[in-house]
Amino acid sequence: MSHDIVLTRLIVGDPFTVDFGAPVGQQFNSSKIGEAICWTDGHWSSAEPIIISRTVEPSLREQDADHEERASTGGDGAAPGDVCSSAQSTPLGRKPPRAWRKPGLIAAGLVVLSAAAIGVTWVVWGNQTTKGADSAKSAPAAPASAAASAAELPIPQAGPGVRVVDHPYETAPAAPSVADAALPIAPRETVAAASAAVQTPAPRAQAVREPSRPKIPQAESTQQRPPAVVLDEGKGASASSSATKPPAVALPQGAASGAAAVSREPAKAAPVPGAVARPTAGPRAGGLVAVTPDGKTAVFTNPTTRMPEQFKIGDKLPNGEVIRAIEPKDGRVITSAKEYSLE
Amino acid sequence: MSEPKRESILIDPRAMNVVNRIAAGGRQSGTYRCAGGLLVQGSIKGEIEITGGPLILMPEGQLAGTIKCDGEAYLFGTIAAQDNGAPSDLDVQGVVFMAETLVAKANVTAGGIKTFQGAQVDGRINTVRREESLGLKAEAGASAELVAPASVLEAA
């Protein structure tokens, strides 16, 4: 093949075309494509082409208008350096053959599925373990929760004026707390204080007792009760009372002197020292303590104040009874309701 | 059976930066370092390095020795063995096009190979992935640096 090419010294010339020939197994549309063999399913076979057609890119390409004109006129309209052919040139493809794609995809799919299965297994197992741990944790927490719930039961709110104490009974007097400071505390009535106010001679301590309250049926009491008489204090009262007064009873010397001293005092005066012989066992509410020898007055214990008080005939006792008669001889006092006696 | 369709290439020396030429009938031997493509229509023997362009071995051209090219190589001619009888070595960065008229006794190492029916190659053909250059530096616009005295080769 001769090429009548005019090349100057500067190697500037018109583009020219050179024939390569027929490509070997690289032409996509070649009729001899069937001669191409490929490895499929473990054996060589003449199958579909394994090379994808692709134009050859020249190593040097100059984007020039003149160059494009020359290229358009010089050959088949292809750019310089391009391998021209009626069919697309097919350089060696670098893509994997189609025959290899299917098994590859299948294998990749299997790997993905297995990984997903393993992942799901891990997740399920992890959840189970966590659930078990949670259940294990929740089981012992149940009684604790019950206790907590019990501890958290609402405490009934005490109303105003109500003091809530921890102990049902106060065994020992405790110092009043701040909360209790606002609440009124009932005064404690000490027996010693009451008894100390009354001086009782030793020999008389046992002689005087509070008489037992006789059982008086109501019918008899109503019948025996004399009509209520309002007696005035003073001479008139004493004169009227003296008419019904029983004869005086001679009391022991100490009691007489004490009774005389007491008679000078007002009827409902303070406790009478020496005239009252009280038992050391303890005061008795509303009980007869002593009777004066002259029979004018009788000493009763005021249940409220627990202090002995003197009453004359016609006086009203703290319990509401009115003294009708005083018998110093027998040591009895007759009231509108009942009869008291010294034992 | 229809014949396979043939392929051709449009060689545009200006566009392809082919500024070096061994004209037909010319003979060169020695070491050639070409900045730019090389068009061989004559005979060159020795150590040849081409940078910045392709190697175009025309059908009447002949090469022998050790040839290195950082572009592509379009081989239409003959690559002879070396003087000691060993095959020549052709190392091309790009794609080597072995036309039907090629007769080569050489070991070819290239980034790609495209063969055409009728090409005769006696030697090893290696294709490698080129990620590094051969170490050749191409200077734009530089003329061919010839060790041998420059000679003007004109077509007869």
Side-chain angles (χ1 to χ4, degrees), chain A residues 210-267:
Chain A
E210 185 176 348
S212 60
R213 297 182 180 183
K215 293 182 180 180
I216 301 174
Q218 284 203 343
E220 296 178 355
S221 63
T222 55
Q223 292 176 358
Q224 294 180 357
R225 184 182 297 174
V229 177
V230 177
L231 302 175
D232 294 334
E233 294 183 0
K235 293 183 179 180
S238 62
S240 59
S241 62
S242 64
T244 57
K245 186 169 57 176
V249 177
L251 292 176
Q253 197 70 22
S257 62
V262 171
S263 63
R264 296 190 192 114
E265 295 181 2

Side-chain angles (χ1 to χ4, degrees), chain A residues 148-228:
Chain A
S149 64
E152 294 176 356
L153 289 175
I155 299 173
Q157 297 296 330
V162 177
R163 184 177 64 179
V164 179
V165 297
D166 295 333
H167 301 282
Y169 304 100
E170 293 182 354
T171 57
S177 61
V178 178
D180 299 337
L183 296 175
I185 301 175
R188 278 184 176 258
E189 298 175 359
T190 57
V191 176
S195 61
V198 179
Q199 297 180 0
T200 58
R204 291 186 180 265
Q206 299 178 358
V208 180
R209 289 186 194 179
E210 185 176 348
S212 60
R213 297 182 180 183
K215 293 182 180 180
I216 301 174
Q218 284 203 343
E220 296 178 355
S221 63
T222 55
Q223 292 176 358
Q224 294 180 357
R225 184 182 297 174

